[in-house]
Coordinates of all heavy atoms in Angstrom, one line a residue:
M1 N 26.5 73.9 30.4 CA 26.3 72.5 29.9 C 25.3 72.5 28.7 O 24.2 73.1 28.8 CB 25.8 71.6 31.0 CG 25.4 70.2 30.6 SD 24.6 69.3 31.9 CE 25.8 68.2 32.3
T2 N 25.6 71.9 27.7 CA 24.7 71.8 26.6 C 23.6 70.7 26.9 O 23.8 69.8 27.6 CB 25.4 71.4 25.3 OG1 26.0 70.1 25.5 CG2 26.3 72.4 24.8
A3 N 22.4 71.0 26.3 CA 21.3 70.1 26.7 C 21.6 68.6 26.3 O 21.2 67.7 27.0 CB 20.1 70.6 26.0
F4 N 22.3 68.4 25.2 CA 22.4 67.0 24.8 C 23.4 66.2 25.7 O 23.5 65.0 25.6 CB 22.8 66.9 23.3 CG 24.0 67.8 23.0 CD1 25.3 67.3 23.2 CD2 23.8 69.0 22.4 CE1 26.4 68.1 22.9 CE2 24.9 69.8 22.1 CZ 26.2 69.4 22.3
M5 N 24.1 66.9 26.5 CA 25.0 66.2 27.5 C 24.2 65.8 28.7 O 24.7 65.1 29.5 CB 26.2 67.1 27.9 CG 27.1 67.4 26.8 SD 28.3 68.6 27.3 CE 29.0 69.1 25.7
N6 N 23.0 66.3 28.8 CA 22.1 65.9 29.9 C 21.4 64.6 29.6 O 20.8 64.5 28.5 CB 21.1 67.1 30.0 CG 20.2 66.8 31.2 OD1 20.0 65.7 31.6 ND2 19.5 67.9 31.6
P7 N 21.5 63.6 30.5 CA 20.9 62.3 30.2 C 19.4 62.4 30.0 O 18.8 61.5 29.5 CB 21.2 61.5 31.4 CG 22.2 62.3 32.2 CD 22.3 63.7 31.7
D8 N 18.8 63.5 30.5 CA 17.3 63.7 30.3 C 16.9 64.4 29.0 O 15.7 64.6 28.8 CB 16.8 64.5 31.5 CG 17.0 63.8 32.8 OD1 17.0 62.5 32.8 OD2 17.2 64.4 33.8
D9 N 17.9 64.8 28.2 CA 17.6 65.5 27.0 C 16.6 64.6 26.1 O 16.8 63.4 26.0 CB 18.8 65.7 26.2 CG 18.6 66.6 25.0 OD1 17.9 66.2 24.0 OD2 19.1 67.8 25.1
E10 N 15.6 65.3 25.5 CA 14.6 64.5 24.8 C 14.7 64.6 23.3 O 13.9 64.0 22.6 CB 13.2 65.0 25.2 CG 12.9 64.6 26.7 CD 11.6 65.0 27.2 OE1 10.9 65.8 26.4 OE2 11.2 64.7 28.3
R11 N 15.7 65.3 22.8 CA 15.9 65.3 21.4 C 16.2 63.9 20.9 O 17.0 63.2 21.5 CB 17.0 66.3 21.0 CG 16.5 67.7 20.8 CD 17.7 68.6 20.6 NE 18.2 69.0 21.9 CZ 19.0 70.0 22.2 NH1 19.5 70.7 21.2 NH2 19.4 70.2 23.4
P12 N 15.6 63.4 19.8 CA 15.8 62.0 19.4 C 17.2 61.6 19.2 O 17.6 60.5 19.5 CB 14.9 61.9 18.1 CG 14.5 63.3 17.8 CD 14.7 64.2 18.9
W13 N 18.0 62.5 18.7 CA 19.4 62.1 18.4 C 20.3 62.3 19.6 O 21.5 61.8 19.6 CB 20.0 63.0 17.3 CG 19.7 64.4 17.4 CD1 18.7 65.1 16.9 CD2 20.6 65.4 18.0 NE1 18.8 66.5 17.2 CE2 20.0 66.7 17.9 CE3 21.8 65.3 18.7 CZ2 20.5 67.8 18.4 CZ3 22.4 66.5 19.2 CH2 21.7 67.7 19.0
A14 N 19.9 62.9 20.7 CA 20.7 63.2 21.9 C 21.2 61.9 22.5 O 22.3 61.9 23.1 CB 20.0 64.1 22.9
A15 N 20.4 60.9 22.5 CA 20.8 59.6 23.1 C 22.0 59.0 22.5 O 22.7 58.2 23.2 CB 19.7 58.6 23.1
R16 N 22.3 59.4 21.3 CA 23.5 58.8 20.6 C 24.7 59.7 20.6 O 25.7 59.5 19.9 CB 23.1 58.4 19.2 CG 22.1 57.2 19.2 CD 21.8 56.7 17.8 NE 21.1 57.7 17.0 CZ 21.4 58.0 15.7 NH1 22.4 57.5 15.1 NH2 20.7 58.9 15.1
A17 N 24.5 60.9 21.2 CA 25.6 61.9 21.2 C 26.9 61.3 21.9 O 26.8 60.8 23.0 CB 25.2 63.1 21.9
E18 N 28.0 61.4 21.2 CA 29.2 60.9 21.7 C 29.7 61.7 23.0 O 30.4 61.2 23.8 CB 30.3 61.0 20.6 CG 31.6 60.3 20.9 CD 31.5 58.7 20.8 OE1 30.5 58.3 20.2 OE2 32.3 58.1 21.4
C19 N 29.2 62.9 23.1 CA 29.7 63.7 24.2 C 28.9 63.5 25.5 O 29.2 64.1 26.5 CB 29.6 65.2 23.8 SG 27.9 65.7 23.3
R20 N 27.9 62.7 25.5 CA 27.1 62.4 26.7 C 28.1 61.9 27.8 O 28.8 61.0 27.6 CB 26.0 61.4 26.5 CG 24.8 61.9 25.8 CD 23.9 60.9 25.4 NE 23.1 60.3 26.5 CZ 21.9 60.6 26.9 NH1 21.3 61.5 26.2 NH2 21.3 60.1 27.9
G21 N 28.0 62.6 29.0 CA 28.8 62.2 30.1 C 30.2 62.8 30.1 O 30.9 62.6 31.1
E22 N 30.5 63.5 29.0 CA 31.9 64.1 29.0 C 31.8 65.4 29.8 O 30.7 66.0 30.0 CB 32.3 64.5 27.5 CG 32.5 63.3 26.6 CD 33.8 62.5 27.0 OE1 34.6 63.1 27.7 OE2 34.0 61.4 26.4
D23 N 33.0 65.9 30.1 CA 33.1 67.2 30.9 C 32.7 68.3 29.9 O 33.3 68.5 28.9 CB 34.5 67.4 31.3 CG 34.7 68.7 32.1 OD1 33.8 69.5 32.1 OD2 35.9 68.9 32.5
P24 N 31.6 69.0 30.2 CA 31.2 70.1 29.3 C 32.3 71.1 29.0 O 32.3 71.8 28.0 CB 30.0 70.8 30.1 CG 29.5 69.7 31.0 CD 30.7 68.9 31.4
A25 N 33.2 71.3 29.9 CA 34.3 72.3 29.7 C 35.1 72.0 28.5 O 35.6 72.9 27.8 CB 35.2 72.3 30.9
I26 N 35.1 70.7 28.1 CA 35.8 70.3 26.9 C 35.2 71.0 25.7 O 35.9 71.3 24.7 CB 35.8 68.8 26.7 CG1 36.6 68.1 27.8 CG2 36.3 68.4 25.3 CD1 36.4 66.6 27.8
F27 N 33.9 71.2 25.7 CA 33.2 71.8 24.6 C 33.0 73.3 24.6 O 32.4 73.9 23.7 CB 31.8 71.1 24.4 CG 32.0 69.6 24.1 CD1 32.2 68.7 25.1 CD2 32.0 69.2 22.8 CE1 32.4 67.3 24.8 CE2 32.3 67.9 22.4 CZ 32.4 66.9 23.4
F28 N 33.5 73.9 25.7 CA 33.5 75.3 25.8 C 34.9 75.8 26.2 O 35.1 76.4 27.2 CB 32.4 75.7 26.8 CG 31.0 75.4 26.4 CD1 30.4 74.2 26.7 CD2 30.3 76.3 25.6 CE1 29.2 73.9 26.3 CE2 29.0 76.0 25.2 CZ 28.5 74.8 25.5
P29 N 35.8 75.6 25.2 CA 37.2 76.1 25.5 C 37.2 77.6 25.5 O 36.5 78.3 24.8 CB 38.0 75.5 24.3 CG 37.0 75.3 23.2 CD 35.7 75.0 23.9
G30 N 38.1 78.1 26.3 CA 38.4 79.6 26.3 C 39.1 80.0 25.1 O 39.6 79.1 24.3
N31 N 39.3 81.2 24.9 CA 39.9 81.8 23.7 C 41.3 81.2 23.5 O 41.8 81.0 22.4 CB 40.0 83.3 23.7 CG 38.6 83.9 23.5 OD1 37.8 83.2 22.9 ND2 38.4 85.1 23.9
D32 N 42.0 81.0 24.6 CA 43.4 80.5 24.5 C 43.5 78.9 24.6 O 44.6 78.4 24.6 CB 44.3 81.1 25.6 CG 44.4 82.6 25.4 OD1 44.3 83.1 24.2 OD2 44.5 83.4 26.4
D33 N 42.4 78.3 24.8 CA 42.4 76.8 24.9 C 42.4 76.1 23.6 O 41.8 76.6 22.6 CB 41.2 76.4 25.8 CG 41.3 76.9 27.2 OD1 42.4 77.2 27.6 OD2 40.2 77.0 27.8
D34 N 42.9 74.9 23.6 CA 42.9 74.1 22.4 C 41.6 73.3 22.3 O 41.2 72.6 23.2 CB 44.1 73.1 22.5 CG 44.2 72.2 21.3 OD1 43.4 72.4 20.3 OD2 45.1 71.4 21.3
P35 N 40.8 73.5 21.2 CA 39.5 72.8 21.0 C 39.6 71.4 20.5 O 38.7 70.7 20.3 CB 38.8 73.7 20.0 CG 39.9 74.3 19.1 CD 41.1 74.4 20.0
S36 N 40.9 70.9 20.3 CA 41.0 69.7 19.6 C 40.5 68.4 20.3 O 40.0 67.5 19.6 CB 42.5 69.4 19.2 OG 43.3 69.3 20.4
V37 N 40.4 68.5 21.6 CA 39.9 67.3 22.3 C 38.4 67.2 22.0 O 37.9 66.1 21.7 CB 40.1 67.4 23.9 CG1 39.4 66.3 24.6 CG2 41.6 67.4 24.2
G38 N 37.7 68.3 22.1 CA 36.2 68.3 21.8 C 36.0 68.0 20.4 O 35.1 67.2 20.1
L39 N 36.8 68.5 19.5 CA 36.6 68.2 18.1 C 36.8 66.8 17.7 O 36.2 66.2 16.9 CB 37.5 69.2 17.2 CG 37.1 70.6 17.3 CD1 38.2 71.5 16.6 CD2 35.7 70.9 16.7
A40 N 37.8 66.2 18.5 CA 38.1 64.7 18.2 C 36.9 63.9 18.7 O 36.6 62.9 18.0 CB 39.3 64.3 19.0
I41 N 36.2 64.3 19.7 CA 35.0 63.5 20.2 C 33.9 63.7 19.1 O 33.3 62.7 18.7 CB 34.6 64.0 21.6 CG1 35.6 63.7 22.6 CG2 33.2 63.4 21.9 CD1 35.4 64.3 24.0
C42 N 33.7 64.9 18.6 CA 32.7 65.1 17.6 C 33.0 64.3 16.3 O 32.1 63.8 15.7 CB 32.7 66.6 17.2 SG 32.1 67.7 18.5
A43 N 34.3 64.1 16.0 CA 34.7 63.4 14.8 C 34.2 62.0 14.8 O 34.0 61.4 13.7 CB 36.2 63.5 14.6
R44 N 34.0 61.4 15.9 CA 33.5 60.0 16.0 C 32.1 59.9 16.4 O 31.5 58.9 16.7 CB 34.4 59.2 16.9 CG 34.5 59.6 18.3 CD 35.3 58.6 19.1 NE 35.2 59.0 20.5 CZ 36.1 59.7 21.2 NH1 37.2 60.2 20.6 NH2 35.9 59.9 22.5
C45 N 31.4 61.1 16.4 CA 30.0 61.1 16.9 C 29.0 60.8 15.7 O 29.1 61.4 14.6 CB 29.7 62.5 17.4 SG 28.0 62.7 18.0
P46 N 28.1 59.9 15.9 CA 27.2 59.5 14.9 C 26.1 60.5 14.6 O 25.4 60.3 13.6 CB 26.6 58.1 15.4 CG 26.7 58.3 16.9 CD 27.9 59.1 17.2
V47 N 25.9 61.5 15.4 CA 24.9 62.5 15.2 C 25.5 63.9 15.0 O 24.8 64.9 15.2 CB 23.9 62.5 16.4 CG1 23.1 61.2 16.4 CG2 24.5 62.8 17.7
R48 N 26.6 63.9 14.4 CA 27.3 65.2 14.2 C 26.5 66.1 13.3 O 26.4 67.3 13.5 CB 28.7 64.9 13.6 CG 29.6 66.1 13.6 CD 31.0 65.8 13.3 NE 31.1 65.3 11.9 CZ 32.3 65.1 11.3 NH1 33.4 65.4 11.9 NH2 32.3 64.6 10.1
Q49 N 25.9 65.5 12.2 CA 25.2 66.4 11.3 C 23.9 67.0 12.0 O 23.7 68.2 11.8 CB 24.8 65.5 10.1 CG 24.1 66.4 9.0 CD 25.0 67.5 8.4 OE1 26.2 67.3 8.3 NE2 24.5 68.6 8.1
E50 N 23.2 66.1 12.7 CA 22.0 66.6 13.4 C 22.4 67.7 14.4 O 21.7 68.7 14.6 CB 21.4 65.5 14.2 CG 20.7 64.4 13.3 CD 21.6 63.3 12.9 OE1 22.9 63.5 12.8 OE2 21.1 62.2 12.6
C51 N 23.5 67.5 15.1 CA 24.0 68.5 16.1 C 24.3 69.8 15.4 O 24.0 70.9 15.9 CB 25.2 67.9 16.8 SG 25.9 69.0 18.1
L52 N 25.0 69.7 14.3 CA 25.4 70.9 13.6 C 24.2 71.7 13.1 O 24.1 72.9 13.3 CB 26.3 70.6 12.4 CG 26.8 71.8 11.6 CD1 27.5 72.8 12.5 CD2 27.7 71.3 10.5
E53 N 23.2 71.0 12.6 CA 22.0 71.6 12.1 C 21.3 72.3 13.2 O 20.8 73.4 13.1 CB 21.1 70.6 11.4 CG 21.7 70.1 10.0 CD 20.9 68.9 9.4 OE1 19.9 68.5 10.0 OE2 21.4 68.4 8.4
Y54 N 21.2 71.6 14.3 CA 20.6 72.2 15.5 C 21.3 73.5 15.9 O 20.6 74.5 16.2 CB 20.6 71.2 16.7 CG 20.3 71.9 18.0 CD1 18.9 72.2 18.3 CD2 21.3 72.3 18.8 CE1 18.6 72.9 19.5 CE2 21.0 73.0 20.0 CZ 19.7 73.3 20.3 OH 19.4 74.0 21.4
A55 N 22.6 73.4 16.0 CA 23.4 74.6 16.5 C 23.2 75.8 15.5 O 23.1 76.9 16.0 CB 24.9 74.2 16.6
I56 N 23.1 75.5 14.2 CA 22.9 76.6 13.3 C 21.5 77.2 13.4 O 21.3 78.4 13.5 CB 23.2 76.1 11.8 CG1 24.7 75.8 11.7 CG2 22.7 77.1 10.8 CD1 25.1 75.1 10.4
E57 N 20.6 76.3 13.5 CA 19.2 76.7 13.6 C 18.9 77.5 14.9 O 18.2 78.5 14.9 CB 18.3 75.5 13.5 CG 16.8 75.9 13.2 CD 16.0 74.6 13.0 OE1 16.4 73.8 12.2 OE2 15.0 74.4 13.7
A58 N 19.5 77.0 16.0 CA 19.3 77.6 17.3 C 20.3 78.8 17.5 O 20.2 79.5 18.5 CB 19.5 76.6 18.4
R59 N 21.1 79.0 16.5 CA 22.1 80.1 16.6 C 22.9 80.0 17.9 O 23.1 81.0 18.6 CB 21.5 81.5 16.4 CG 20.8 81.6 15.1 CD 20.2 83.0 14.9 NE 19.5 82.9 13.6 CZ 19.1 84.0 13.0 NH1 19.3 85.2 13.5 NH2 18.5 83.9 11.8
E60 N 23.4 78.8 18.1 CA 24.3 78.6 19.3 C 25.6 79.4 19.1 O 26.3 79.1 18.2 CB 24.6 77.1 19.5 CG 23.4 76.3 20.0 CD 23.0 76.6 21.4 OE1 23.8 77.3 22.1 OE2 22.0 76.0 21.9
R61 N 25.8 80.4 19.9 CA 27.0 81.2 19.7 C 28.2 80.7 20.3 O 29.3 81.0 19.9 CB 26.7 82.6 20.2 CG 25.7 83.4 19.4 CD 25.5 84.8 19.9 NE 26.8 85.5 19.8 CZ 27.0 86.7 20.5 NH1 26.1 87.2 21.2 NH2 28.2 87.3 20.3
Y62 N 28.1 79.9 21.3 CA 29.2 79.5 22.1 C 29.4 78.0 22.1 O 28.5 77.2 22.0 CB 29.1 80.0 23.6 CG 29.0 81.4 23.7 CD1 27.7 82.0 24.0 CD2 30.0 82.3 23.4 CE1 27.6 83.4 24.1 CE2 29.9 83.7 23.4 CZ 28.6 84.2 23.8 OH 28.5 85.6 23.8
G63 N 30.7 77.6 22.1 CA 31.0 76.2 22.2 C 31.2 75.4 20.9 O 30.9 75.9 19.9
I64 N 31.5 74.2 21.1 CA 31.7 73.2 20.0 C 30.4 72.5 19.8 O 29.9 71.9 20.7 CB 32.9 72.3 20.3 CG1 34.2 73.0 20.3 CG2 32.9 71.1 19.3 CD1 35.4 72.2 20.8
W65 N 29.9 72.5 18.6 CA 28.7 71.8 18.2 C 28.9 71.2 16.9 O 29.4 71.8 15.9 CB 27.5 72.8 18.1 CG 27.1 73.4 19.4 CD1 27.7 74.5 20.0 CD2 26.0 73.0 20.2 NE1 27.0 74.8 21.1 CE2 25.9 73.9 21.3 CE3 25.0 72.0 20.1 CZ2 25.0 73.8 22.3 CZ3 24.1 71.9 21.1 CH2 24.1 72.8 22.2
G66 N 28.5 70.0 16.7 CA 28.6 69.3 15.4 C 30.0 69.4 14.7 O 30.1 69.5 13.5
G67 N 31.0 69.3 15.5 CA 32.3 69.3 15.0 C 32.8 70.6 14.5 O 33.8 70.7 13.7
T68 N 32.2 71.7 15.0 CA 32.6 73.0 14.6 C 32.9 73.9 15.9 O 32.2 73.7 16.8 CB 31.6 73.8 13.7 OG1 30.4 73.9 14.5 CG2 31.3 73.0 12.4
T69 N 33.8 74.8 15.7 CA 34.0 75.8 16.8 C 33.0 77.0 16.5 O 32.5 77.1 15.4 CB 35.4 76.3 16.8 OG1 35.7 77.0 15.5 CG2 36.4 75.2 17.0
E70 N 32.9 77.8 17.5 CA 32.1 79.0 17.3 C 32.6 79.9 16.2 O 31.8 80.4 15.4 CB 31.9 79.8 18.6 CG 33.2 80.1 19.3 CD 33.0 80.3 20.8 OE1 32.4 79.5 21.5 OE2 33.6 81.3 21.3
R71 N 33.9 80.0 16.1 CA 34.5 80.8 15.0 C 34.1 80.2 13.6 O 33.7 80.9 12.7 CB 36.0 80.8 15.1 CG 36.6 81.8 14.2 CD 38.1 82.0 14.4 NE 38.3 82.5 15.8 CZ 39.5 82.6 16.3 NH1 40.6 82.1 15.7 NH2 39.7 83.1 17.5
Q72 N 34.2 78.8 13.5 CA 33.8 78.2 12.2 C 32.4 78.4 11.9 O 32.0 78.6 10.7 CB 34.2 76.7 12.3 CG 35.6 76.4 12.3 CD 35.9 74.9 12.7 OE1 35.3 74.3 13.5 NE2 37.0 74.4 12.0
R73 N 31.5 78.3 12.9 CA 30.1 78.5 12.6 C 29.8 80.0 12.2 O 29.0 80.3 11.3 CB 29.2 78.1 13.8 CG 29.2 76.6 14.0 CD 28.0 76.3 14.9 NE 28.1 77.0 16.2 CZ 28.9 76.7 17.2 NH1 29.7 75.7 17.1 NH2 28.8 77.4 18.3
R74 N 30.5 80.9 12.8 CA 30.3 82.3 12.4 C 30.7 82.5 10.9 O 30.0 83.2 10.1 CB 31.2 83.3 13.2 CG 30.5 83.7 14.5 CD 31.1 84.9 15.1 NE 32.6 84.8 15.4 CZ 33.0 84.3 16.5 NH1 32.3 83.9 17.5 NH2 34.4 84.2 16.7
R75 N 31.8 81.8 10.5 CA 32.3 81.9 9.1 C 31.2 81.3 8.2 O 30.9 81.8 7.2 CB 33.6 81.2 9.0 CG 34.7 82.1 8.7 CD 36.0 81.3 8.4 NE 36.9 81.5 9.5 CZ 37.6 80.5 10.1 NH1 37.5 79.3 9.7 NH2 38.4 80.8 11.1
M76 N 30.7 80.1 8.6 CA 29.6 79.5 7.8 C 28.4 80.4 7.7 O 27.9 80.5 6.6 CB 29.2 78.2 8.5 CG 30.3 77.1 8.5 SD 29.9 75.7 9.6 CE 28.6 74.9 8.7
A77 N 28.1 81.1 8.7 CA 26.9 81.9 8.7 C 27.1 83.1 7.7 O 26.2 83.5 7.0 CB 26.6 82.4 10.1
R78 N 28.4 83.6 7.8 CA 28.7 84.8 6.9 C 28.6 84.3 5.4 O 28.1 85.1 4.6 CB 30.1 85.3 7.2 CG 30.1 86.3 8.4 CD 31.3 87.2 8.4 NE 32.5 86.4 8.5 CZ 33.1 86.1 9.6 NH1 32.5 86.5 10.8 NH2 34.2 85.4 9.7
R79 N 29.1 83.1 5.2 CA 29.1 82.6 3.8 C 27.7 82.4 3.3 O 27.4 82.6 2.1 CB 29.9 81.3 3.7 CG 31.3 81.5 3.3 CD 32.0 80.2 3.0 NE 32.9 79.9 4.0 CZ 33.0 78.8 4.7 NH1 32.2 77.8 4.5 NH2 33.9 78.6 5.7
T80 N 26.8 82.0 4.1 CA 25.4 81.7 3.7 C 24.5 83.0 3.7 O 23.4 83.0 3.2 CB 24.8 80.6 4.5 OG1 24.8 80.9 5.9 CG2 25.5 79.3 4.2
A81 N 25.0 84.1 4.3 CA 24.2 85.3 4.4 C 24.1 86.0 3.1 O 24.9 85.8 2.2 CB 24.8 86.2 5.5
Ligands
SF4_101 S1 28.7 66.4 17.3 FE1 30.0 66.8 19.1 S2 28.9 68.3 20.3 FE2 27.4 67.4 18.9 S3 26.4 65.7 19.9 FE3 28.2 64.9 18.8 S4 29.9 64.9 20.2 FE4 28.3 66.2 21.1

């Protein structure tokens, strides 16, 4: 479970996270699973940018964060390296 899905999360933007209360499994799809359900939730999330910046800074390796899959974040990291 990601911290921002926890109602006790204290990050200022976490209270507005669209994924609060959602099943965390949606955001941690397996290799053969379709990530589109989680990505669709991110697409309407008002704190997507904050979430993505957090994930990049914290080097979150797994799961969907800020509207990106782990593969997309790896690609972004390679491009900025
Ligand atoms: S961008 Fe996605 S993972 Fe991040 S807080 Fe919003 S809904 Fe949750």
Side-chain angles (χ1 to χ4, degrees):
M1 173 188 253
T2 56
F4 52 81
M5 291 174 195
N6 180 343
D8 298 328
D9 189 291
E10 292 179 355
R11 274 172 276 194
W13 50 269
R16 294 186 291 133
E18 191 72 22
C19 55
R20 280 171 76 99
E22 294 286 350
D23 179 355
I26 293 172
F27 293 87
F28 292 92
N31 286 340
D32 297 329
D33 296 337
D34 181 2
S36 63
V37 174
L39 292 173
I41 294 171
C42 292
R44 60 176 188 263
C45 179
V47 293
R48 193 168 61 169
Q49 187 62 36
E50 290 90 333
C51 179
L52 179 58
E53 286 169 8
Y54 165 80
I56 290 170
E57 199 174 303
R59 300 185 182 191
E60 291 285 357
R61 290 185 60 194
Y62 302 107
I64 293 171
W65 294 80
T68 63
T69 63
E70 49 203 49
R71 188 175 297 168
Q72 289 170 324
R73 288 196 306 283
R74 275 200 302 274
R75 249 185 252 134
M76 290 167 73
R78 275 199 301 272
R79 262 189 253 126
T80 55

